[in-house]
């Protein structure tokens, strides 16, 4: 996954300022057991999904039009 994130960042940098990544923030987050589904103990539950959404929102986009 580190290789994927590195290549994603490289591709995004080559694309230009309109391309943004979360700089690996989602990958770096360590879930607690309380944030993982009890059905499969792999996928995030609703609390874990909320955390992913928060991280993505905070790190992924500034929601401005300055790059258009």
């Amino acid at each position: 996954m580190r290789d994927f994130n590195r290549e994603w960042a490289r591709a995004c940098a080559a694309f230009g300022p309109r391309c943004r990544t979360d700089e690996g923030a989602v990958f770096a987050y360590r879930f607690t057991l309380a944030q993982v589904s009890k059905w499969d103990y792999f996928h995030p539950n609703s609390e874990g999904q909320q955390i992913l959404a928060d991280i993505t929102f905070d790190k992924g986009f500034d929601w401005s039009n300055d790059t258009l």
Side-chain angles (χ1 to χ4, degrees), residues 17-46:
R18 292 185 67 190
C19 184
R20 298 181 180 128
T21 71
D22 70 356
E23 300 171 349
V26 169
F27 177 72
Y29 183 77
R30 298 294 171 239
F31 289 96
T32 67
L33 217 66
Q35 298 163 340
V36 178
S37 169
K38 289 182 177 35
W39 288 355
D40 63 7
Y41 290 95
F42 177 76
H43 292 94
N45 61 17
S46 59

Side-chain angles (χ1 to χ4, degrees), residues 17-18 20 61-68:
R18 292 185 67 190
R20 298 181 180 128
F61 301 96
D62 65 10
W63 303 104
S64 68
N65 287 328
D66 62 352
T67 58
L68 295 179

